[in-house]
Structure formats: structure tokens, C-alpha cells
Amino acid sequence: MKTLALIMAAMICVGANAITLPVKGHVVKPSDPMIQYVGRVSLKNPSIARFNYPGTQIITSFEGTSLKMIARPESGYFMAQIDQAEPFKVCFNAKKDSVVTLATALPNGKHTVKLMYIIEGLFRQPEFHGFVLDEGCSLVKSDALPERKIEFIGNSITCGYGVESITKEDPFEDETENHYMTYATLTAKALNAQHTAIARSGIGVYRNYDGPKAGNKENMPWQYEYTLFNQHDEKWDFSRYQPQLVCINLGTNDLSTPNFDIKLYEKAYRGFLKTVRGHYPNAKIVLLTGPMLGEKEASLQRKVLDTIKDDCHKTGDKEIYRFDFSFQTGDLYYGASWHPSCWQHQKMAGELTAFLRPLMGWF
């Protein structure tokens, strides 16, 4: 298995290869039944797949020697993998061009492409508009996705904020965010599971980053019921993805700046956990704490989550669990804005995988 460092070295932004529509070839719409999606995707318009959470995946197999991808201009960044080749970064940054070549000069035959949206798309409003195949070629049935399913609910750590940066003073940039490198993706891969990430930088369970003591309305419980973050015109159909495991990593933003109310945090967390349990009655749910909080704040958070877990057990829900990541100390460097580095994420994935494997029996 290749190390993350080697994967990083193989990432090549191919946005410069974008070409202008119209293009030659067989265009396949996003609604084609041979295309598999993992994550919250809206197909209200069958010609457009809309999404904005990091980690959303598009997977299909095709016949032919080449493949192009069509997306809305400025949709942002994807990681792409053709068959078992090294993954590479795909950039949709041009204001007009919306077609990128993913593969060319392949051996004639069946190939598989896996795409992951790796940034937060709230402001870019990403859209997938389809694939372009060789003339006379078509999509074909892909291998079945793993039966194991995980949902990660979190904040910037889960998104992959600054993970490609190696300087803590760096600001947030789309160019250095990469969900593909996060503990969530790495853990899911290690466990051979699908995963979704319902995550947004700065989000809290009651109070977003540096918000008022009374909390913010636009918190995770307010956003969670909808297909797209901050777009409340389409409720998410939870029957479309029923995970056996849910990992909740919320609280870093609630508690990371002064003026928080720990009682309001606990009340909101209890309410949100009840919502999650309502949607996933058979899932194991793990309450996580992250690696970024100070000792005092982390101690308060851990105490609250331990109490919530214990209370759930007393009232009959035995499938609530607790897990704490190790604190980051800088020995594995920092990403942008003091966020976990890619090496810290590797450590986090190792810790979480070791905890989840026996819990789920996923060996």
C-alpha cells in the first residue's frame, strides 16, 4: 500500500487541460443508472448533479480509451483515480471552460473512474454535468460498493481544512483543503467502507466559531436535515444512505473561543444526538473529541460526552460510544491555521481505525 506522502507527490492539478464546449464524443448525463453516487447529491434536474459537502463521490465504469468530465465552471477540486493508477487532483477553476480530460490513450476495454469532491462547495455551488466517452462507447456496470457504510458528522477537521499546507500561519484556501487526506477518508479505506461527510468549517452543535454565548441559528442541527448545506429547498431522504456507523466530531468550534456556555452545548448535543438516532435507529454512534482544543475546554467536552453516553445507556440505548483523539502537539507539524497536518490525520486515522475495527467486527 502506497504511503500518503507518495500519494501527495502524485497529485497533479490538470485544470490547465480544460477545453471549451462543445466536445466530440458520447455525452452521458449525471442521471445515467450506471453512475454511482456516495454522499448527499441532488438530481432534481437529471442533467445536473448538485452537491456541496466534501467527500461526495462519483463512481462509474466505462468502455473505451479516454474519459472527460463536465462540471460547472469554478466548481473547484476533485481527486480522481482511473483503475488502480495514482490518484490526481482535478481543478475546475476556469470561469468558462467546464470540461477536463481525466484519461487518454488507455488500453481499449473496461475501466473504472472514482471521483471525490475534496473541498467545501458552499460558495462555489459545484455541479457535475456528466462524462464524455469515445464515440460508440458507453458506461458499464461497476463493481458493487462496499456494504459497510459510515457517516462522519463534523467541522473543519473532518473537511480537511489546510491539510495540504505545512505552515500553521497559512490562511484558509481551497487549494490546501483536501478531504481525501483526512482521518475520515483514511479510516473508511482501512475498514473497506463507504463514507459520507456532513461537515463544514466553523460549524458547531450550538455555537459556531466565535459565535455569541447564546449560540448560532445556522448550526449543524439546523443544517443537517437538508441535501445541500445552507440550501433549504430540498430535504434529504435519509433512506438513501443508512450507515451502520456514525461518528460525530462536534464541539471544537462551540468551545474553542471564550464566552461559551457548556450547559447550552450539552443541551444542544443531546437534542442533535436524538435527531441522528431517529434517522439511524440501528447504527452504532460514536461521540468523538478532536485534537485541537486546549486542556480545559477538552476536559469539559469529554465530561459532557461521557455523561451523555452514560445517560443513553441507562435509558436503553447501549449503542452509543465514546472516543478521544490524541491532542496534536506539533511533532507532526500543523496544517493551515493550526489545523491537523496530513501526518496528524494519518495518526488520527490509525487511532480511530484501531478503536472501530473490533467495535464493528470489521476485520
Side-chain angles (χ1 to χ4, degrees):
M1 181 177 179
K2 293 181 174 63
T3 66
L4 185 58
L6 289 176
I7 292 175
M8 289 173 61
M11 291 187 205
I12 302 172
C13 181
V14 297
N17 293 334
I19 57 178
T20 306
L21 289 171
V23 294
K24 294 182 179 180
H26 172 52
V27 177
V28 180
K29 291 184 177 181
S31 57
D32 191 287
M34 293 295 103
I35 299 176
Q36 299 172 309
Y37 295 99
V38 180
R40 296 192 179 184
V41 176
S42 173
L43 281 166
K44 289 171 66 175
N45 179 342
S47 297
I48 298 173
R50 299 168 60 226
F51 47 88
N52 62 12
Y53 281 111
T56 303
Q57 296 174 66
I58 306 166
I59 302 166
T60 195
S61 293
F62 62 98
E63 295 176 335
T65 64
S66 70
L67 182 70
K68 297 181 179 69
M69 176 181 175
I70 311 172
R72 182 179 182 272
E74 299 184 278
S75 281
Y77 296 87
F78 297 78
M79 288 297 293
Q81 185 178 28
I82 306 295
D83 298 328
Q84 299 303 313
E86 289 284 2
F88 55 93
K89 185 179 280 190
V90 177
C91 311
F92 284 91
N93 279 344
K95 293 184 178 180
K96 294 184 179 180
D97 296 337
S98 61
V99 181
V100 165
T101 298
L102 299 179
T104 188
L106 295 170
N108 199 12
K110 178 181 176 179
H111 303 280
T112 297
V113 60
K114 298 178 181 178
L115 293 151
M116 178 186 287
Y117 192 64
I118 57 171
I119 65 171
E120 302 166 70
L122 174 60
F123 299 111
R124 288 181 177 263
Q125 300 180 30
E127 296 175 355
F128 168 60
H129 292 181
F131 292 115
V132 183
L133 307 175
D134 296 340
E135 289 286 2
C137 292
S138 61
L139 299 184
V140 295
K141 188 175 181 179
S142 299
D143 293 340
L145 296 172
E147 293 184 1
R148 300 170 179 178
K149 297 178 181 178
I150 308 172
E151 177 167 290
F152 293 93
I153 305 172
N155 47 44
S156 57
I157 300 169
T158 302
C159 291
Y161 181 123
V163 69
E164 287 196 55
S165 175
I166 57 172
T167 304
K168 60 183 180 293
E169 290 81 13
D170 282 348
F172 174 83
E173 294 178 316
D174 285 343
E175 288 75 11
T176 61
E177 184 168 71
N178 194 332
H179 182 76
Y180 194 84
M181 293 183 174
T182 63
Y183 78 90
T185 297
L186 297 174
T187 298
K189 285 184 176 182
L191 295 173
N192 189 30
Q194 302 180 47
H195 86 280
T196 61
I198 312 305
R200 169 67 182 169
S201 291
I203 200 92
V205 74
Y206 106 91
R207 175 179 180 255
N208 298 337
Y209 179 76
D210 205 22
K213 187 173 185 178
N216 297 89
K217 177 184 177 182
E218 301 86 359
N219 51 34
M220 181 58 80
W222 187 68
Q223 302 282 6
Y224 186 69
E225 301 297 307
Y226 299 92
T227 302
L228 303 178
F229 185 90
N230 223 34
Q231 297 182 39
H232 293 178
D233 59 337
E234 182 180 349
K235 285 262 191 172
W236 173 243
D237 178 1
F238 285 87
S239 69
R240 291 173 59 182
Y241 187 87
Q242 281 285 309
Q244 299 100 328
L245 171 65
V246 179
C247 295
I248 304 176
N249 188 359
L250 291 172
T252 300
N253 291 304
D254 299 83
L255 310 179
S256 62
T257 59
N259 202 37
F260 62 82
D261 188 322
I262 195 65
K263 292 182 179 179
L264 290 179
Y265 170 71
E266 179 175 350
K267 180 180 178 181
Y269 203 112
R270 288 179 182 274
F272 183 57
L273 180 58
K274 183 177 180 180
T275 296
V276 174
R277 171 56 79 210
H279 290 305
Y280 305 131
N282 300 314
K284 296 182 187 293
I285 303 176
V286 183
L287 316 182
L288 306 173
T289 65
M292 292 183 67
L293 282 176
E295 184 176 344
K296 176 184 175 182
E297 292 78 12
S299 178
L300 287 171
Q301 184 190 23
R302 292 179 177 190
K303 183 177 180 180
V304 164
L305 299 188
D306 286 342
T307 299
I308 291 174
K309 181 207 72 172
D310 291 342
D311 288 348
C312 287
H313 288 194
K314 290 175 184 177
T315 56
D317 190 343
K318 305 291 187 180
E319 299 293 357
I320 304 295
Y321 302 88
R322 281 275 295 109
F323 178 81
D324 301 314
F325 284 116
S326 297
F327 294 114
Q328 60 181 12
T329 61
D331 59 322
L332 295 174
Y333 304 97
Y334 294 101
S337 307
W338 297 87
H339 281 72
S341 68
C342 62
W343 299 283
Q344 189 74 40
H345 273 281
Q346 289 182 68
K347 179 180 180 181
M348 293 166 66
E351 293 174 347
L352 186 57
T353 299
F355 174 78
L356 294 177
R357 199 181 292 283
L359 176 68
M360 301 302 298
W362 287 352
F363 295 99

